[in-house]
Amino acid sequence: MDEQTKQSIIRLIHREVIPAIGCTEPIAVALACAKAAEVLGDRPERVEVYLSANILKNAMGVGIPGTGMVGLPIAIALGSLIGRSAYGLEVLKDLDPEGLAAGKAMVERKCISIALKEQVDKLYIEVVSHRGDDESRVVISHAHTHFSYIARNSEVLYNEELGVSDEESAEEEDIALNFGLVYDFAMQMPLEEIRFILETARVNEAAAKASMEAGCYGHTVSQTFAGEFGKRFLGDSPYTHMLAMTAAACDARMDGAMIPVMSNSGSGNQGLSATLPVVSFAKDIQSSEEQLIRALMLSHLMVIYIKQSLGRLSALCGCVVAATGASCGITYLMGGTREQLTYAIKNMIGNITGMICDGAKPSCALKVSSGVSTAMLSALMAMEHKVVTPVEGIIDEDVDRSIANLTSIGSKGMEATDRLVLDIMTAKA
């Protein structure tokens, strides 16, 4: 692997694996609101927000960090009043009781409007903030922190479509990954050049521990695995440890805990699911630091690869993607070969492809647990040289083609499912 390829992959990982506080969809909306307020130059009196269906779906039922509240209005208010766009997906980390009171008051004044925006990118956020005769307009699209349009009154400050470059859009085009490239990078890179991936372990394990100590978030899925009945019927093993740890962090995050996590490809739950099963298993089997670093890199880079063709948001639950990365990491820690890693991937795709995303919410911890459970099963089968064959379903002899089949179903085949899920969710609102 040449040096340019190595450095391109490292830059890609640094862009995709970043800290986030709270569910990334409402937080991205808060980020757009913060930028709009900064461009406006004052606190807005009224805010209009226009969202793609996938953003709207993922932001409706999830807790907003530090508020004890659910949904978009409080995220919009806080982003507009106390958010700082320089913080990225940690935009609300300065929240204090005074700021929360101001945000609640803004929501109560009913000066926030939210509407669906049709025929736009699946990840699209448009915010128009007003104060007196002045207004600002900000658009985030394609990625959770990517500003594509900024204007104040009639002055357009930035418009990506006109070819004006900003720091992010001026970056090189992302390198196209494949399984071989992911595997070779994770296995061959000098440790000191990829040691940074251990930060995902530190941050996400801290989130899991904080949740376990509190024991009160969401549906407390982690407590179910670690509790009396969980131990009686599932035992106390590396398997239940990874389930409990991963569910714990998801429990807290989806319930609005003010706890940072390391996300992957714009999703905190993907970051958790790519990290914590690997970390938990590595500790239980007493892996070396080098093994942990390479397993984490393998897991996270596999998620980035799959998301390149699936897209940031889709009808397919992100746990399918992230757990596939985790299964690769677990298989490697078990001593699996390159070929056995491809078996684990095919076993994952042959099992939980099609799990729907019906928005971010506390019960995501259940889906994350299903993904982690399947990751372990897929790894165990792979180690025994058992694999879903090309004559079965959507699996192909070639692992990259199998992945392409998965992402085609998630990005194209499930579009009608995505619309129906949103219809069902909005009918309840």
Side-chain angles (χ1 to χ4, degrees):
M1 187 182 303
D2 61 74
E3 189 63 24
Q4 182 178 349
T5 298
K6 292 177 183 178
Q7 295 307 313
S8 294
I9 294 174
I10 288 174
R11 286 192 291 272
L12 174 61
I13 297 165
H14 280 306
R15 287 199 299 274
E16 297 292 3
V17 182
I18 60 174
I21 297 177
C23 176
T24 49
E25 277 70 56
I27 293 302
V29 175
L31 176 61
C33 292
K35 187 70 169 182
E38 292 163 3
V39 172
L40 188 63
D42 205 342
R43 288 186 167 188
E45 298 169 329
R46 180 167 57 89
V47 181
E48 303 167 30
V49 178
Y50 304 92
L51 305 173
S52 61
N54 288 80
I55 291 287
L56 190 60
K57 177 184 70 174
N58 276 13
M60 289 174 63
V62 68
I64 306 303
T67 68
M69 301 174 69
V70 169
L72 281 165
I74 190 63
I76 292 167
L78 293 177
S80 300
L81 299 178
I82 61 96
R84 292 186 59 185
S85 65
Y87 291 163
L89 294 179
E90 296 180 288
V91 60
L92 300 183
K93 71 178 182 180
D94 286 343
L95 180 63
D96 57 19
E98 181 181 350
L100 179 56
K104 290 180 177 179
M106 185 175 184
V107 172
E108 290 171 0
R109 288 199 302 272
K110 300 188 183 302
C111 56
I112 296 169
S113 64
I114 304 167
L116 176 65
K117 185 93 169 186
E118 302 277 9
Q119 297 182 332
V120 291
D121 187 76
K122 288 186 177 182
L123 198 165
Y124 182 90
I125 301 162
E126 181 178 349
V127 175
V128 185
S129 295
H130 302 266
R131 187 172 184 89
D133 294 330
D134 294 321
E135 73 170 37
S136 61
R137 185 181 300 268
V138 167
V139 175
I140 286 177
S141 60
H142 308 304
H144 291 77
T145 59
H146 181 72
F147 295 100
S148 57
Y149 183 90
I150 303 170
R152 188 180 190 279
N153 295 326
S154 59
E155 181 184 4
V156 177
L157 304 176
Y158 173 67
N159 186 349
E160 185 176 58
E161 292 185 358
L162 297 181
V164 182
S165 294
D166 66 359
E167 182 177 352
E168 184 172 355
S169 62
E171 292 174 347
E172 65 176 304
E173 185 176 348
D174 287 343
I175 184 170
L177 299 174
N178 56 55
F179 172 76
L181 197 54
V182 168
Y183 181 83
D184 289 345
F185 181 89
M187 296 299 106
Q188 296 175 11
M189 283 294 289
L191 282 186
E192 291 309 312
E193 294 188 46
I194 59 173
R195 186 178 296 276
F196 65 85
I197 203 68
L198 286 176
E199 183 68 1
T200 65
R202 185 190 69 79
V203 173
N204 289 345
E205 190 173 8
K209 286 181 177 178
S211 177
M212 287 176 171
E213 289 171 2
C216 61
Y217 292 115
H219 298 290
T220 60
V221 176
S222 62
Q223 303 298 315
T224 302
F225 292 120
E228 176 187 352
F229 286 103
K231 289 181 178 178
R232 182 190 302 177
F233 295 112
L234 294 177
D236 186 14
S237 68
Y239 171 68
T240 56
H241 296 166
M242 69 171 67
L243 286 168
M245 181 180 285
T246 312
C250 187
D251 277 331
R253 185 171 174 272
M254 293 289 95
D255 204 26
M258 187 64 88
I259 299 173
V261 304
M262 291 295 281
S263 64
N264 185 308
S265 302
S267 167
N269 285 349
Q270 285 174 182
L272 295 175
S273 299
T275 305
L276 293 175
V278 176
V279 171
S280 177
F281 188 69
K283 286 192 171 187
D284 276 328
I285 66 171
Q286 299 182 328
S287 297
S288 68
E289 182 181 68
E290 176 176 353
Q291 289 171 321
L292 175 59
I293 290 172
R294 297 199 185 281
L296 284 171
M297 183 56 70
L298 188 60
S299 180
H300 277 280
L301 196 54
M302 181 59 63
V303 175
I304 294 170
Y305 162 39
I306 298 173
K307 292 293 286 187
Q308 282 186 334
S309 56
L310 179 62
R312 295 278 171 168
L313 299 175
S314 74
L316 186 71
C317 178
C319 82
V320 176
V321 177
T324 300
S327 191
C328 288
I330 293 166
T331 304
Y332 164 74
L333 290 174
M334 289 178 174
T337 63
R338 176 179 175 142
E339 182 178 34
Q340 286 168 317
L341 263 65
T342 68
Y343 293 172
I345 293 168
K346 292 176 183 180
N347 290 339
M348 290 293 299
I349 295 171
N351 190 338
I352 56 173
T353 295
M355 182 184 290
I356 66 166
C357 170
D358 54 343
K361 58 212 174 301
S363 61
C364 284
L366 293 169
K367 295 189 177 187
V368 163
S369 299
S370 295
V372 174
S373 177
T374 307
M376 185 62 157
L377 173 61
S378 297
L380 291 172
M381 289 181 62
M383 293 305 295
E384 294 180 353
H385 296 278
K386 297 174 181 176
V387 60
V388 181
T389 65
V391 299
E392 302 174 70
I394 63 170
I395 300 304
D396 194 276
E397 184 67 42
D398 179 70
V399 68
D400 290 301
R401 174 49 55 190
S402 297
I403 290 170
N405 293 342
L406 163 72
T407 59
S408 292
I409 288 170
S411 61
K412 301 173 184 176
M414 296 177 70
E415 285 184 352
T417 300
D418 217 13
R419 290 191 295 271
L420 180 57
V421 167
L422 182 64
D423 288 343
I424 292 171
M425 292 174 64
T426 53
K428 299 188 299 179

